Amino acid sequence: MTFVESNWIVQKFGGTSVGKFPEQIVNEIIKVYTTKYDKDVAVVCSARSSYTKAEGTTSRLLKAGELASQAHASIEEEEAAVEEDYALISRNLDSEEDIREEAKNVKHIRNLLELVRKDHVENAKLKIKNNEIQEQLIQDTNKELDLVEKYVNASQILGEVSSRTMDLIMSCGEKLSCLFMAALCNDNNVPARYIDLSHIIPSDYDLKGNTALDNSFYTFLTVALREKMSPIVNGNHRVVPIITGYFGQVPLGLLNSVGRGYTDLCAALIAVAIDADELQVWKEVDGIFTADPRKVPEARLLSMVTPDEAAELTYYGSEVIHPFTMEQVIRAKIPIRIKNVSNPTGDGTIIYPDNVGKKGEATPPHPPALLSSSFYETQTKKTRRATAITSKNDIVVLNIHSNKKTLSHGFLAQIFSILDNYKLVVDLISTSEVHVSMALPVPDSTSSKNLKTAVAELKKLGSVDVLKNMSIISLVGKQMKQFIGIAGTMFTTLAESGINIEMISQGSNEINISCVIEKCDSIKALRAIHNKLLSDNRNYNTNDQSAINNGIEVNAVNEKLEQIKNLRI
């Protein structure tokens, strides 16, 4: 039985892309796919962010929510409170200093929400030409922000913000973004419909005693999304659904259960729900490179990587896509393609396993039928020893030596218990019976403060050395384990470049070799290792290199993608 394509493509756009390139998204991507390529397109958008994530809509809304739990006065009371010597705010406070702090919080909340309102209203006036569409967009924008003010006011009165309330406040960002993109599509003769997923999950949904979201929840959500999308998927007229990346009030809270990457996960679940042929994640880079091209000018675009490789690159510094999100679509045998908003005609990078099961098989064949044997070696005539190299900054190394008062079997347990109490994550670890070295990411002031307190407790277990301003360098490649000596080559290359290694670790999956070096040496290390193991000038195990070029590799990927589609159940 031959697989029949659904003709649907799901396109996910990040907040920065929506903020900086909305016209290009509509006219050069969505319109081109629906007309020139004759595809049905579903769009998922993150909240708008014109500059950086910290200045984005979601960050501002979250900050307003956090401040709401600290302020007892409503937004409407703020001006009166200031004029009356903070009398209204002081109802629940003791000192003048506390009163002034509360007034400051209330004013900050108001400023944050006004920034969001002003940004989106001015954007509507600037980008939407049709007066009727523009007026409706501004009206819908104000309506959503008025609702957020009500949530904030209620939280200020209670003096706390529940996880569900925080989700409702946060959801406004995706709603405003999708309302705008739907309006912009219709303003440019691309029929579009705004789809709000705020109520996709029933308020009485029961986790049945589970303390985390499990597969039964995501199965339920996929079915609900399929029903929600059914009128459009089965409709007689083509329309582009512009879908909020926020998918309802999740039990335990969306931020707590999923995190800030929930829009990618939403796009993945929609792709599964409508049986899409491809999930496209649009960024501001051409795809996944052998290294960060800003740090390594010779970095090459990779035509294809496996989910395992993409997961390792994501975890160790490259912003690709969250592993759990990849798992949802890969399990449904839907390829993921990373593409560039500024270069829509580029092929991008495909994420898909190099071992796929045939139709009707619950697991891949044994031994697996490797795509790599045909794609990497037959088509491109070259053997990949490594896929990419990446770096992760803001790393602190802790060296802990037991004072021998602690029994060895309880040494590690106590260390990780202390780290867990302060929400500190361990990226790499190297250990013996009484000595532990760990690399921890410390990206912000909160983590730094927690680390300082944790170190004070760890000193009760033994001596603790702290090394700051470090970086993790990770060499990633699924086929690396087939080659003897690649780790030695990596470390020898660093030594030849005069770079000292503080710590070494290899992942249990054998596709990642990592080491910790000083941050000031990270770019030098990336360039040296890339030149030795990843550049086009390295020696390949092949007899004919003259025929290899980028065009052949891209064609090989596209041919293999067609084979992948025919294997889907």
Side-chain angles (χ1 to χ4, degrees), residues 415-442:
I415 289 174
F416 282 101
S417 177
I418 292 171
L419 296 177
D420 181 61
N421 289 339
Y422 294 99
K423 298 181 179 180
L424 295 170
V425 178
V426 177
D427 276 355
L428 301 177
I429 183 170
S430 178
T431 180
S432 65
E433 188 176 15
V434 293
H435 187 90
V436 178
S437 293
M438 297 177 293
L440 294 78
V442 185

PDB file of all heavy atoms in Angstrom, residues 415-442:
ATOM      1  N   ILE A 415      25.149  15.179  47.964  1.00  0.00           N
ATOM      2  CA  ILE A 415      25.494  16.246  47.018  1.00  0.00           C
ATOM      3  C   ILE A 415      24.295  16.599  46.144  1.00  0.00           C
ATOM      4  O   ILE A 415      23.902  17.762  46.026  1.00  0.00           O
ATOM      5  CB  ILE A 415      26.695  15.835  46.145  1.00  0.00           C
ATOM      6  CG1 ILE A 415      27.979  15.809  46.969  1.00  0.00           C
ATOM      7  CG2 ILE A 415      26.843  16.795  44.959  1.00  0.00           C
ATOM      8  CD1 ILE A 415      29.167  15.273  46.221  1.00  0.00           C
ATOM      9  N   PHE A 416      23.680  15.570  45.551  1.00  0.00           N
ATOM     10  CA  PHE A 416      22.580  15.842  44.634  1.00  0.00           C
ATOM     11  C   PHE A 416      21.326  16.307  45.371  1.00  0.00           C
ATOM     12  O   PHE A 416      20.512  17.046  44.804  1.00  0.00           O
ATOM     13  CB  PHE A 416      22.281  14.602  43.783  1.00  0.00           C
ATOM     14  CG  PHE A 416      23.250  14.413  42.655  1.00  0.00           C
ATOM     15  CD1 PHE A 416      24.283  13.495  42.747  1.00  0.00           C
ATOM     16  CD2 PHE A 416      23.149  15.172  41.507  1.00  0.00           C
ATOM     17  CE1 PHE A 416      25.185  13.329  41.725  1.00  0.00           C
ATOM     18  CE2 PHE A 416      24.042  15.020  40.464  1.00  0.00           C
ATOM     19  CZ  PHE A 416      25.078  14.092  40.572  1.00  0.00           C
ATOM     20  N   SER A 417      21.173  15.912  46.601  1.00  0.00           N
ATOM     21  CA  SER A 417      20.047  16.405  47.392  1.00  0.00           C
ATOM     22  C   SER A 417      20.175  17.908  47.623  1.00  0.00           C
ATOM     23  O   SER A 417      19.195  18.661  47.497  1.00  0.00           O
ATOM     24  CB  SER A 417      19.994  15.667  48.735  1.00  0.00           C
ATOM     25  OG  SER A 417      18.958  16.180  49.546  1.00  0.00           O
ATOM     26  N   ILE A 418      21.384  18.357  47.927  1.00  0.00           N
ATOM     27  CA  ILE A 418      21.618  19.793  48.141  1.00  0.00           C
ATOM     28  C   ILE A 418      21.396  20.573  46.843  1.00  0.00           C
ATOM     29  O   ILE A 418      20.737  21.618  46.825  1.00  0.00           O
ATOM     30  CB  ILE A 418      23.040  20.033  48.672  1.00  0.00           C
ATOM     31  CG1 ILE A 418      23.169  19.476  50.105  1.00  0.00           C
ATOM     32  CG2 ILE A 418      23.402  21.522  48.651  1.00  0.00           C
ATOM     33  CD1 ILE A 418      24.587  19.458  50.645  1.00  0.00           C
ATOM     34  N   LEU A 419      21.931  20.064  45.745  1.00  0.00           N
ATOM     35  CA  LEU A 419      21.761  20.745  44.453  1.00  0.00           C
ATOM     36  C   LEU A 419      20.292  20.811  44.056  1.00  0.00           C
ATOM     37  O   LEU A 419      19.827  21.821  43.516  1.00  0.00           O
ATOM     38  CB  LEU A 419      22.579  20.032  43.377  1.00  0.00           C
ATOM     39  CG  LEU A 419      24.092  20.044  43.547  1.00  0.00           C
ATOM     40  CD1 LEU A 419      24.759  19.236  42.442  1.00  0.00           C
ATOM     41  CD2 LEU A 419      24.633  21.469  43.555  1.00  0.00           C
ATOM     42  N   ASP A 420      19.568  19.738  44.329  1.00  0.00           N
ATOM     43  CA  ASP A 420      18.147  19.702  43.996  1.00  0.00           C
ATOM     44  C   ASP A 420      17.364  20.726  44.808  1.00  0.00           C
ATOM     45  O   ASP A 420      16.448  21.375  44.291  1.00  0.00           O
ATOM     46  CB  ASP A 420      17.593  18.296  44.243  1.00  0.00           C
ATOM     47  CG  ASP A 420      16.122  18.177  43.887  1.00  0.00           C
ATOM     48  OD1 ASP A 420      15.770  18.392  42.717  1.00  0.00           O
ATOM     49  OD2 ASP A 420      15.310  17.899  44.794  1.00  0.00           O
ATOM     50  N   ASN A 421      17.736  20.892  46.061  1.00  0.00           N
ATOM     51  CA  ASN A 421      17.043  21.868  46.914  1.00  0.00           C
ATOM     52  C   ASN A 421      17.146  23.283  46.359  1.00  0.00           C
ATOM     53  O   ASN A 421      16.240  24.104  46.558  1.00  0.00           O
ATOM     54  CB  ASN A 421      17.623  21.830  48.333  1.00  0.00           C
ATOM     55  CG  ASN A 421      17.243  20.567  49.086  1.00  0.00           C
ATOM     56  OD1 ASN A 421      16.262  19.908  48.731  1.00  0.00           O
ATOM     57  ND2 ASN A 421      18.011  20.208  50.095  1.00  0.00           N
ATOM     58  N   TYR A 422      18.236  23.562  45.671  1.00  0.00           N
ATOM     59  CA  TYR A 422      18.449  24.908  45.125  1.00  0.00           C
ATOM     60  C   TYR A 422      18.249  24.968  43.616  1.00  0.00           C
ATOM     61  O   TYR A 422      18.667  25.914  42.946  1.00  0.00           O
ATOM     62  CB  TYR A 422      19.851  25.402  45.508  1.00  0.00           C
ATOM     63  CG  TYR A 422      20.006  25.609  46.998  1.00  0.00           C
ATOM     64  CD1 TYR A 422      20.622  24.644  47.798  1.00  0.00           C
ATOM     65  CD2 TYR A 422      19.497  26.745  47.620  1.00  0.00           C
ATOM     66  CE1 TYR A 422      20.735  24.814  49.170  1.00  0.00           C
ATOM     67  CE2 TYR A 422      19.608  26.921  48.986  1.00  0.00           C
ATOM     68  CZ  TYR A 422      20.230  25.963  49.755  1.00  0.00           C
ATOM     69  OH  TYR A 422      20.336  26.136  51.117  1.00  0.00           O
ATOM     70  N   LYS A 423      17.620  23.933  43.070  1.00  0.00           N
ATOM     71  CA  LYS A 423      17.254  23.878  41.646  1.00  0.00           C
ATOM     72  C   LYS A 423      18.454  24.098  40.735  1.00  0.00           C
ATOM     73  O   LYS A 423      18.377  24.808  39.721  1.00  0.00           O
ATOM     74  CB  LYS A 423      16.151  24.899  41.339  1.00  0.00           C
ATOM     75  CG  LYS A 423      14.866  24.639  42.108  1.00  0.00           C
ATOM     76  CD  LYS A 423      13.777  25.641  41.764  1.00  0.00           C
ATOM     77  CE  LYS A 423      12.497  25.347  42.530  1.00  0.00           C
ATOM     78  NZ  LYS A 423      11.417  26.319  42.218  1.00  0.00           N
ATOM     79  N   LEU A 424      19.573  23.488  41.091  1.00  0.00           N
ATOM     80  CA  LEU A 424      20.781  23.572  40.280  1.00  0.00           C
ATOM     81  C   LEU A 424      20.918  22.297  39.452  1.00  0.00           C
ATOM     82  O   LEU A 424      20.779  21.191  39.969  1.00  0.00           O
ATOM     83  CB  LEU A 424      22.010  23.760  41.174  1.00  0.00           C
ATOM     84  CG  LEU A 424      22.052  25.089  41.945  1.00  0.00           C
ATOM     85  CD1 LEU A 424      23.176  25.068  42.977  1.00  0.00           C
ATOM     86  CD2 LEU A 424      22.237  26.262  40.982  1.00  0.00           C
ATOM     87  N   VAL A 425      21.180  22.462  38.167  1.00  0.00           N
ATOM     88  CA  VAL A 425      21.243  21.344  37.226  1.00  0.00           C
ATOM     89  C   VAL A 425      22.700  20.984  36.948  1.00  0.00           C
ATOM     90  O   VAL A 425      23.549  21.871  36.799  1.00  0.00           O
ATOM     91  CB  VAL A 425      20.540  21.703  35.899  1.00  0.00           C
ATOM     92  CG1 VAL A 425      20.643  20.559  34.901  1.00  0.00           C
ATOM     93  CG2 VAL A 425      19.082  22.054  36.164  1.00  0.00           C
ATOM     94  N   VAL A 426      22.980  19.699  36.874  1.00  0.00           N
ATOM     95  CA  VAL A 426      24.326  19.233  36.543  1.00  0.00           C
ATOM     96  C   VAL A 426      24.376  18.835  35.075  1.00  0.00           C
ATOM     97  O   VAL A 426      23.645  17.943  34.640  1.00  0.00           O
ATOM     98  CB  VAL A 426      24.736  18.035  37.429  1.00  0.00           C
ATOM     99  CG1 VAL A 426      26.109  17.510  37.016  1.00  0.00           C
ATOM    100  CG2 VAL A 426      24.735  18.436  38.893  1.00  0.00           C
ATOM    101  N   ASP A 427      25.226  19.499  34.290  1.00  0.00           N
ATOM    102  CA  ASP A 427      25.381  19.163  32.880  1.00  0.00           C
ATOM    103  C   ASP A 427      26.345  17.995  32.682  1.00  0.00           C
ATOM    104  O   ASP A 427      26.079  17.080  31.909  1.00  0.00           O
ATOM    105  CB  ASP A 427      25.904  20.378  32.100  1.00  0.00           C
ATOM    106  CG  ASP A 427      24.782  21.322  31.693  1.00  0.00           C
ATOM    107  OD1 ASP A 427      23.612  20.973  31.931  1.00  0.00           O
ATOM    108  OD2 ASP A 427      25.070  22.398  31.160  1.00  0.00           O
ATOM    109  N   LEU A 428      27.482  18.045  33.362  1.00  0.00           N
ATOM    110  CA  LEU A 428      28.497  17.003  33.249  1.00  0.00           C
ATOM    111  C   LEU A 428      28.958  16.596  34.638  1.00  0.00           C
ATOM    112  O   LEU A 428      28.968  17.419  35.555  1.00  0.00           O
ATOM    113  CB  LEU A 428      29.711  17.495  32.444  1.00  0.00           C
ATOM    114  CG  LEU A 428      29.489  17.974  31.011  1.00  0.00           C
ATOM    115  CD1 LEU A 428      30.801  18.478  30.434  1.00  0.00           C
ATOM    116  CD2 LEU A 428      28.908  16.873  30.140  1.00  0.00           C
ATOM    117  N   ILE A 429      29.371  15.326  34.770  1.00  0.00           N
ATOM    118  CA  ILE A 429      29.885  14.866  36.065  1.00  0.00           C
ATOM    119  C   ILE A 429      30.985  13.841  35.839  1.00  0.00           C
ATOM    120  O   ILE A 429      30.921  13.027  34.911  1.00  0.00           O
ATOM    121  CB  ILE A 429      28.749  14.263  36.935  1.00  0.00           C
ATOM    122  CG1 ILE A 429      29.295  13.853  38.309  1.00  0.00           C
ATOM    123  CG2 ILE A 429      28.084  13.088  36.237  1.00  0.00           C
ATOM    124  CD1 ILE A 429      28.216  13.483  39.307  1.00  0.00           C
ATOM    125  N   SER A 430      31.998  13.920  36.688  1.00  0.00           N
ATOM    126  CA  SER A 430      33.078  12.941  36.707  1.00  0.00           C
ATOM    127  C   SER A 430      33.319  12.613  38.175  1.00  0.00           C
ATOM    128  O   SER A 430      33.465  13.512  39.009  1.00  0.00           O
ATOM    129  CB  SER A 430      34.350  13.522  36.072  1.00  0.00           C
ATOM    130  OG  SER A 430      35.402  12.586  36.129  1.00  0.00           O
ATOM    131  N   THR A 431      33.341  11.310  38.516  1.00  0.00           N
ATOM    132  CA  THR A 431      33.354  10.968  39.936  1.00  0.00           C
ATOM    133  C   THR A 431      34.213   9.758  40.254  1.00  0.00           C
ATOM    134  O   THR A 431      34.412   8.878  39.422  1.00  0.00           O
ATOM    135  CB  THR A 431      31.910  10.698  40.421  1.00  0.00           C
ATOM    136  OG1 THR A 431      31.927  10.368  41.800  1.00  0.00           O
ATOM    137  CG2 THR A 431      31.272   9.570  39.648  1.00  0.00           C
ATOM    138  N   SER A 432      34.732   9.762  41.479  1.00  0.00           N
ATOM    139  CA  SER A 432      35.348   8.587  42.082  1.00  0.00           C
ATOM    140  C   SER A 432      34.633   8.373  43.412  1.00  0.00           C
ATOM    141  O   SER A 432      33.612   9.028  43.687  1.00  0.00           O
ATOM    142  CB  SER A 432      36.851   8.806  42.300  1.00  0.00           C
ATOM    143  OG  SER A 432      37.062   9.838  43.249  1.00  0.00           O
ATOM    144  N   GLU A 433      35.156   7.500  44.271  1.00  0.00           N
ATOM    145  CA  GLU A 433      34.455   7.186  45.507  1.00  0.00           C
ATOM    146  C   GLU A 433      34.328   8.391  46.429  1.00  0.00           C
ATOM    147  O   GLU A 433      33.304   8.584  47.084  1.00  0.00           O
ATOM    148  CB  GLU A 433      35.182   6.057  46.245  1.00  0.00           C
ATOM    149  CG  GLU A 433      34.418   5.532  47.454  1.00  0.00           C
ATOM    150  CD  GLU A 433      35.122   4.355  48.114  1.00  0.00           C
ATOM    151  OE1 GLU A 433      36.311   4.146  47.817  1.00  0.00           O
ATOM    152  OE2 GLU A 433      34.480   3.665  48.908  1.00  0.00           O
ATOM    153  N   VAL A 434      35.361   9.229  46.463  1.00  0.00           N
ATOM    154  CA  VAL A 434      35.348  10.350  47.408  1.00  0.00           C
ATOM    155  C   VAL A 434      35.622  11.699  46.739  1.00  0.00           C
ATOM    156  O   VAL A 434      35.823  12.691  47.428  1.00  0.00           O
ATOM    157  CB  VAL A 434      36.378  10.130  48.535  1.00  0.00           C
ATOM    158  CG1 VAL A 434      35.973   8.959  49.402  1.00  0.00           C
ATOM    159  CG2 VAL A 434      37.781   9.938  47.972  1.00  0.00           C
ATOM    160  N   HIS A 435      35.619  11.741  45.422  1.00  0.00           N
ATOM    161  CA  HIS A 435      35.885  13.005  44.724  1.00  0.00           C
ATOM    162  C   HIS A 435      34.903  13.144  43.565  1.00  0.00           C
ATOM    163  O   HIS A 435      34.699  12.200  42.799  1.00  0.00           O
ATOM    164  CB  HIS A 435      37.316  13.058  44.193  1.00  0.00           C
ATOM    165  CG  HIS A 435      37.670  14.406  43.634  1.00  0.00           C
ATOM    166  ND1 HIS A 435      38.217  15.422  44.391  1.00  0.00           N
ATOM    167  CD2 HIS A 435      37.511  14.915  42.388  1.00  0.00           C
ATOM    168  CE1 HIS A 435      38.400  16.489  43.628  1.00  0.00           C
ATOM    169  NE2 HIS A 435      37.978  16.201  42.409  1.00  0.00           N
ATOM    170  N   VAL A 436      34.302  14.321  43.458  1.00  0.00           N
ATOM    171  CA  VAL A 436      33.324  14.587  42.405  1.00  0.00           C
ATOM    172  C   VAL A 436      33.636  15.921  41.739  1.00  0.00           C
ATOM    173  O   VAL A 436      33.900  16.914  42.419  1.00  0.00           O
ATOM    174  CB  VAL A 436      31.883  14.638  42.978  1.00  0.00           C
ATOM    175  CG1 VAL A 436      30.884  14.956  41.869  1.00  0.00           C
ATOM    176  CG2 VAL A 436      31.518  13.333  43.648  1.00  0.00           C
ATOM    177  N   SER A 437      33.623  15.908  40.413  1.00  0.00           N
ATOM    178  CA  SER A 437      33.721  17.152  39.634  1.00  0.00           C
ATOM    179  C   SER A 437      32.436  17.291  38.835  1.00  0.00           C
ATOM    180  O   SER A 437      31.994  16.336  38.183  1.00  0.00           O
ATOM    181  CB  SER A 437      34.924  17.119  38.692  1.00  0.00           C
ATOM    182  OG  SER A 437      36.132  17.133  39.421  1.00  0.00           O
ATOM    183  N   MET A 438      31.835  18.473  38.881  1.00  0.00           N
ATOM    184  CA  MET A 438      30.571  18.709  38.197  1.00  0.00           C
ATOM    185  C   MET A 438      30.592  20.044  37.468  1.00  0.00           C
ATOM    186  O   MET A 438      31.161  21.019  37.968  1.00  0.00           O
ATOM    187  CB  MET A 438      29.410  18.716  39.195  1.00  0.00           C
ATOM    188  CG  MET A 438      29.188  17.411  39.929  1.00  0.00           C
ATOM    189  SD  MET A 438      27.847  17.527  41.142  1.00  0.00           S
ATOM    190  CE  MET A 438      28.580  18.654  42.316  1.00  0.00           C
ATOM    191  N   ALA A 439      29.988  20.059  36.289  1.00  0.00           N
ATOM    192  CA  ALA A 439      29.822  21.300  35.533  1.00  0.00           C
ATOM    193  C   ALA A 439      28.360  21.704  35.587  1.00  0.00           C
ATOM    194  O   ALA A 439      27.476  20.930  35.195  1.00  0.00           O
ATOM    195  CB  ALA A 439      30.262  21.110  34.088  1.00  0.00           C
ATOM    196  N   LEU A 440      28.099  22.912  36.088  1.00  0.00           N
ATOM    197  CA  LEU A 440      26.734  23.393  36.259  1.00  0.00           C
ATOM    198  C   LEU A 440      26.520  24.683  35.474  1.00  0.00           C
ATOM    199  O   LEU A 440      27.369  25.582  35.507  1.00  0.00           O
ATOM    200  CB  LEU A 440      26.424  23.678  37.739  1.00  0.00           C
ATOM    201  CG  LEU A 440      26.380  22.521  38.725  1.00  0.00           C
ATOM    202  CD1 LEU A 440      27.776  22.076  39.109  1.00  0.00           C
ATOM    203  CD2 LEU A 440      25.612  22.945  39.981  1.00  0.00           C
ATOM    204  N   PRO A 441      25.394  24.809  34.777  1.00  0.00           N
ATOM    205  CA  PRO A 441      25.069  26.085  34.129  1.00  0.00           C
ATOM    206  C   PRO A 441      24.567  27.087  35.152  1.00  0.00           C
ATOM    207  O   PRO A 441      23.694  26.772  35.957  1.00  0.00           O
ATOM    208  CB  PRO A 441      23.967  25.701  33.128  1.00  0.00           C
ATOM    209  CG  PRO A 441      23.317  24.502  33.732  1.00  0.00           C
ATOM    210  CD  PRO A 441      24.389  23.766  34.484  1.00  0.00           C
ATOM    211  N   VAL A 442      25.136  28.289  35.140  1.00  0.00           N
ATOM    212  CA  VAL A 442      24.699  29.360  36.046  1.00  0.00           C
ATOM    213  C   VAL A 442      24.443  30.595  35.169  1.00  0.00           C
ATOM    214  O   VAL A 442      25.260  31.512  35.095  1.00  0.00           O
ATOM    215  CB  VAL A 442      25.761  29.644  37.125  1.00  0.00           C
ATOM    216  CG1 VAL A 442      25.245  30.677  38.121  1.00  0.00           C
ATOM    217  CG2 VAL A 442      26.147  28.363  37.854  1.00  0.00           C
TER     218      VAL A 442
END
